[in-house]
Amino acid sequence: MEALSHIFPSQDYALLGVILALPLLGAIGNGIFGKRLGKEAVTLMGLSAVGVPFLFALASFCLLACHGEGEHTTTSLTWTAWHWLELQGSGAGVANFRSISLDVAFRMDPLSGVMSLVITGIGFLIHLYSSKYMEEDPGYHRFFAYLNLFIFSMLVLVLGDSLPILFVGWEGVGLCSYLLIGFWFTEEANAAAGKKAFITNRVGDFGLLVAMGLLACYVGALDWTGIEAGREALLSPVKVWPVSDSVPIAGVLPQSWAEFLNAPRYLDPATLVCLALFLGAMGKSAQLGLHVWLPDAMAGPTPVSALIHAATMVTAGVYLLCRLSPVFVLSPLAMFIVALFGALTALFAATIALVQNDIKKVLAYSTVSQLGFMFLGVGVGAFEAGFFHVLTHAFFKACLFLGAGSVIHAMHARIHDTNASQDMRNMGGLRAFMPGTFMTFVAAWAAIVGLPLTSGFWSKDEILFKAKTSFVTAPAELRGHSPTGPVAIDTFVWTEGMGTALYLIGLTAAILTAFYMTRLLLGTFFGEFKGWTITPGWTDPHAAHGHGEDDHGHDDHGHDDHAHHAHEEPGPSMQGPTPHESPWQMTLPLWILGGLAVAAGFLNAHAIHVAPLGHFLEPVFTTASKSVASHEGAEGFLWVGMAAAVLVAFGGGVGFAYWVYVQMKGVPAAEWTAKFPGVHAFLRDKWRVDEFYQETIIGAVDSLAEMCVWADKYIVDGILARFTAGLTQVLGTILRQFQTGRVQAYSAVMTLGMFGVAAFLWSPQASVREQVDERAGTYALAAAPGLGFSYRWDVDGKEGWDGEYGAAKAAHFKLDVGEERTVKVAVKNAFAVESEKVFTYVRPRPDLSRPAGSVEGPTRIVKGEDGKLRAGGGPSEPGAATGRPSPTGPDMEALKRAMERQRKEDE
Amino acid sequence: MTAGSLLFAVCAALCLAGALLVVTAKNPIRCAMGLLTTIVGIAGLFLRLSAQFLAAMQILVYAGAVVILFVFVIMLLGPAASGEAAPPQRPSISQLIAGAMVAVLGVLSLGLIGYGDSHAFELIGQSHGSVAAVGSRIFKEGLVPFELATALLLVAVVGAIAVARSKPAGHKAKPAKEENPTRRMFQGPVNRPGAAGAARENV
Amino acid sequence: MELGLVVEHYVLLASAIFAIGAIGFLMRRNVLVQLMCIELMLNSVNLTLVAFNRRHHGDMNGQMFAFFIIAVAAAELAVGLAIVLQFYRLRGSVHSDEASSLRH
């Protein structure tokens, strides 16, 4: 440890660079050379690209943990890679925005340390799992390349020291999610799911970008320390409505409406920033509204679902909120919205999971629901609790997904159709055939339903407790200035009723969670196996065709096997082998994760005051926790709440499920489905959110696209292309008539042309070249020469010509400041044809922006005691030079010189 | 009416009459005669203007060679020379316009008679316009143009022969076009068996 | 009134001949007649030059110019008539409307 801190000082902790670089190198290597190097090499590269960073991250984590107190007080390890760019601001009218320096810098503090351990650790386990799960897939190297790239991006996200770096990682994980969901892109549905994920994320990214802009504008910094230091600037209210001085349509509305519309509304930037950030988190963490991508993302391989959509990427939103907790606690309103959305998401997803039959879909909605819990925890100010739930969720959800993958692996051996092999109605009784998978699945199930003393119990209980008792205190009354005077906004006050409501919603969701997870467990592992009739010694009759290898190939639909087995429906009529347990590469991660799911709770078991993790995370949340308080009677509620959680949620949910599905053999469920078909359909169709979006938003975009197609066809093609082509053709046909091929016609046209030229030469042109000196006010005009030209001028400003026609080619005159004069010149050529031209000149006021003492001349103009301006010597202060130059003084000299020059020229 | 005026009047009349004859006569021989008349008239005017050498040249070259050449060609062409066999089309619009403008120019010129100051001729000596005077001018300042004009005449002779020559009988039968290797290079893929495959490979 | 002692008379006559030649060139369809009209125009220019030259005593530039114009006109006519002959051989007539290969 000492050696490590010697080699890498905590301010220049280059090991972070190594941790980041290894997965990236793995991705590049696997991607470019993987196909050539073969499966073993790819496995080695892929696993080491995540395993070695895990070790380094562990070492760094220990460095942080051990040296967290004492004389070193290392609370974070930073490393700056290079200086990225400087943002330059104009600084006009906005508080702090002068220049923001962005470095590519990374920081490992307790929060990001834990996250990086989760990412690399669980990532390594899932890489190990995938080495067996994806063994038969022809895109093996591509899979590992994408997985490594994902690890890299996620590490950039959590280790980044500023919002832009986080955003780079944010986008990177979004990209990898798209690539991995659509891994088997030859199927239209998979590619569509990938696109959906990416686009829904994009909506959230917009929020993140807006938040970055707002932070840059109001706080003037984009890195964590800078934001925390300058966050007070977010409290002064800004006018959000109307955008300019008044709403345009208010002019035509009746008086009271117009007043209502035009009344200025103020909001504090903290709320705006937090809502924008939450929009970003909504997209990434699949909260209500932007959750639609996560269930569809199950189209990707199961390890992907485990890693990305359970353990790491979807938690990026929670990480963002934890990271920017100092900003979030400034806005109780935004926090309440976060908590409310979290609670509603938890409930919403839980109701849908009740009626799903695909095990991956159940787990997907379970993920959405648990994410809701996390946001509920973070929203009420319990950042530690929310983050702890991230950790425990990573363990038990990854374990659940990997276990589901193991089950699907076994099912797929016989049922090749993707949807059928994942359908719970074709499973059952698998605990006899897959004991290892079964036991780890039970461990994870125990955690998620909240069996006392498991990790899920501690974290969920903590969240529910905090939901009832914790709230965010308002900052001092928000005061600010506006052009019309001082402004004060009322802050949002958090009442006890809100806490209770959130608690009740969360509790309901917990009950439902217990119910559907038990249903899943019972449906998959208990009862009779409904997939096929197990005939010992059954071999695949089509294996002899050389397709044996592809028995375990997953989701290769374009395959002959599928056609052969297509007519066979899963059920007693189908025959098949015994479902087999998975190899050690797949079960070892299950055991590790299952064990962690059970045991990790004691890292942060606040109720019994055993909380090393909480203690470790304290420095990260100190600023935020200053604004978080508890309602009265919190302590008393602690045990009440725990009892409620155990009895109602765990006991009630699990017991009820047991009663319905084991004791009553699923009959009540079928009865309710028959009695309330509408409700059942509504829940099964995911509350028809996708359909709603399709009708409204996507429909709108489609209509827009149709309009554009029409515009392209008829306007661009029709008018711009065909019309212009037609016009050119018509013109061509007309002009072609002139090409008669006869010399006479050509010479006739030539003659016409010559007459034109002759006419031009016949008439004289009266053009002048002018020399203007605006500062001195002298104007000199020189007329263009011509054969036999004689000139006549009128420059003196008086009516009538100055003289008769003569040979004077030039004339000059002088103007006062602001004076306007119309001058005329007439030429007469040898044919006695006259031509005249009129010019108008205005002498403008002198340009005040030029500082006095510039090169233009020694004249200094100063304000005398009498207030009049005069030319004077000596240095003048900037800004004192104004106004018209005096009529006497150096100007006259310059003019006289100019006149002399003119006279000489004329001679 | 002095003799000079009379000379002027007669020669001017000859010029105009000849010009009109050129423009209006149907028979090309009549046109040629009109041209001859104009040339002779111009020569007379040259004499009035003390350009004796030039007057001689005018008669020699124009009347003695140009008009003869015209007559030769007209005779060579025979009955086809009248050239109005094709139904006379109406003049096109541009022609009419151009003709009108030129006519306007002519009328304007007539209208300008007596306008402005006249620039009278001075009295000059005999040497003005003599062979010696013009000759010395040509061979001193105008030597290069003179030599170039010589070359021009030579080229014109050669050119006229080249253009007017009818193709001798021997050239009528041309040998079969020999295979041009360049042409073969640029032929399409039809003739080259491997080209189609190569095209496909380029995808 | 004394004709021919003022340069304007000659210029006037020359412009008349020029106009007649120009109109004739534009109107007549016979190629030979067109060539003759060109000669007319050239002659009118010659006349103008010599007339103006009369005003400059001792400076023979105008007449020299006219001399060269005569030479060049002769050369041009030779080649032009050769072309007419070829044209006749090609088209069988000397109608200028036949020379319309440049037609669209």
Side-chain angles (χ1 to χ4, degrees), chain A residues 25 33 73 115 122 245 249 288 351 375 510 541 581 625 633 655 694 750 804 877 881 883:
Chain A
L25 285 173
F33 305 112
T73 329
M115 281 300 290
I122 298 189
D245 286 326
I249 62 165
L288 189 63
T351 55
F375 276 93
E581 180 62 276
S625 45
Q694 183 71 33
M750 238 168 63
E804 279 307 311
E877 58 252 359

Side-chain angles (χ1 to χ4, degrees), chain A residues 817-892:
Chain A
V817 171
E819 187 188 335
E820 174 184 337
R821 191 181 291 177
T822 307
V823 303
K824 291 195 290 195
V825 61
V827 301
K828 186 159 77 163
N829 69 354
F831 302 111
V833 179
E834 292 177 14
S835 162
E836 200 176 287
K837 199 150 175 205
V838 178
F839 305 90
T840 309
Y841 286 98
V842 180
R843 178 160 173 210
R845 301 206 169 276
D847 181 10
L848 295 175
S849 63
R850 238 172 267 152
S854 63
V855 290
E856 248 77 26
T859 313
R860 305 254 156 99
I861 299 164
V862 297
K863 208 167 187 153
E865 295 87 2
D866 51 354
K868 292 226 170 58
L869 300 157
R870 58 176 176 83
S876 64
E877 58 252 359
T882 57
R884 58 175 71 208
S886 56
T888 62
D891 262 347
M892 202 55 175

